[in-house]
Amino acid sequence: MTKVLIIEDDNIFGDMLSLYLTEEQYEVTRVPSAGEGLRALQEFAPNVVLLDLMLPDTEGINACAMLRGFTMVPIIVISAETKVSERILSLSEGADDYLCKPFSMQELKARIEAVLRRTNMQSANIAPPAAPSADEWTLVLDMARRLLICNGNEIETTFSEFEIIKLLYHNPGKVFSREELINAIRGIDSYINERAIDVHITNLRKKIEQNPKEPQYIKTVWGVGYKYIKK
């Protein structure tokens, strides 16, 4: 059974979410604060997290970034904040989707299933790459653990960063537009924009490039998008 962790301090709204998802055959746990959410990540081990950003113990702190530091589980932000800047910030800090309150419960379920589908299908649909030779760039994707291994070092990524590098890595030399990358990691019905893609690319370069300002592996194709160069 799919396990959903709801981090929401509004009891009425939180109980409504819990009731709906339970009736839809999800196993649900709800907590009212980010601190309790961190404990539930270990004890409950959810498959997906629904996160309200306005929590009593995270004033002045980006709750999404804090949770992302402890887990690679997909995070869907559920917030009354409708500013585009807040959406971009949450996506840049590790959120995998963003829903503005109020929203349809059916849409919430569709978003959860879309995130889980991308997570569960990645191993079955893409064959692991061949091990690089000694003179190649030693960048390897561990699909089972969703890790980048760069020169023997394990590099943690957000869900979206991993989906981007996975697509680029398995298609060396192919140019992907920002729109194609958006569709690959979000689905055409989810919110994200081209600026968020650029932020994810910048973060990936910081993690794998020897000199992120002069990237050798994730190349920008001006006016089009990005491509991966296999060394």
Side-chain angles (χ1 to χ4, degrees):
M1 182 179 292
T2 299
K3 300 167 72 174
V4 180
L5 172 61
I6 301 171
I7 306 178
E8 168 65 71
D9 65 328
D10 185 315
N11 289 329
I12 295 176
F13 186 70
D15 288 346
M16 182 175 65
L17 286 176
S18 298
L19 179 61
Y20 172 79
L21 293 174
T22 299
E23 290 178 346
E24 292 295 321
Q25 306 304 308
Y26 294 95
E27 184 178 349
V28 180
T29 286
R30 184 180 76 85
V31 295
S33 68
E36 291 177 83
L38 291 176
R39 288 191 289 273
L41 284 174
Q42 294 183 330
E43 298 172 1
F44 182 58
N47 301 108
V48 63
V49 176
L50 303 182
L51 173 66
D52 180 21
L53 295 181
M54 303 300 291
L55 297 168
D57 59 344
T58 58
E59 183 178 356
I61 300 173
N62 188 298
C64 185
M66 183 178 69
L67 259 66
R68 183 54 76 208
F70 291 88
T71 183
M72 299 307 297
V73 169
I75 298 172
I76 300 176
V77 170
I78 50 173
S79 177
E81 180 56 72
T82 60
K83 292 181 181 178
V84 172
S85 59
E86 289 297 325
R87 302 184 195 184
I88 292 174
L89 178 61
S90 293
L91 294 169
S92 301
E93 294 288 356
D96 297 291
D97 208 341
Y98 193 111
L99 270 172
C100 293
K101 299 175 183 176
F103 50 78
S104 160
M105 290 296 176
Q106 289 80 9
E107 181 182 5
L108 173 63
K109 180 182 178 183
R111 297 289 184 98
I112 291 173
E113 292 302 314
V115 169
L116 293 173
R117 187 163 57 248
R118 290 193 295 271
T119 304
N120 295 333
M121 291 179 65
Q122 41 89 17
S123 295
N125 290 344
I126 300 180
S133 60
D135 60 344
E136 289 181 312
W137 175 247
T138 56
L139 180 66
V140 178
L141 270 67
D142 184 332
M143 302 302 293
R145 295 186 296 163
R146 292 182 63 82
L147 282 175
L148 275 175
I149 301 175
C150 185
N151 289 338
N153 298 314
E154 294 184 354
I155 308 297
E156 291 191 355
T157 61
T158 66
F159 181 91
S160 297
E161 288 169 2
F162 190 89
E163 290 300 300
I164 290 173
I165 191 61
K166 179 179 69 175
L167 184 63
L168 296 174
Y169 183 89
H170 287 289
N171 296 274
K174 180 178 178 180
V175 180
F176 288 89
S177 68
R178 289 174 176 83
E179 182 177 0
E180 289 175 314
L181 294 175
I182 288 171
N183 291 338
I185 66 174
R186 300 289 172 210
I188 58 175
D189 63 336
S190 296
Y191 178 85
I192 188 176
N193 65 7
E194 294 184 355
R195 172 56 183 155
I197 291 294
D198 292 340
V199 170
H200 289 313
I201 291 292
T202 297
N203 291 338
L204 279 169
R205 284 172 171 164
K206 291 178 181 178
K207 293 176 180 180
I208 69 172
E209 298 280 359
Q210 293 175 316
N211 183 357
K213 295 183 179 180
E214 298 180 4
Q216 300 298 310
Y217 306 102
I218 302 179
K219 293 281 192 177
T220 299
V221 181
W222 296 107
V224 183
Y226 299 96
K227 66 179 179 180
Y228 173 78
I229 302 298
K230 184 176 181 180
K231 298 295 184 177

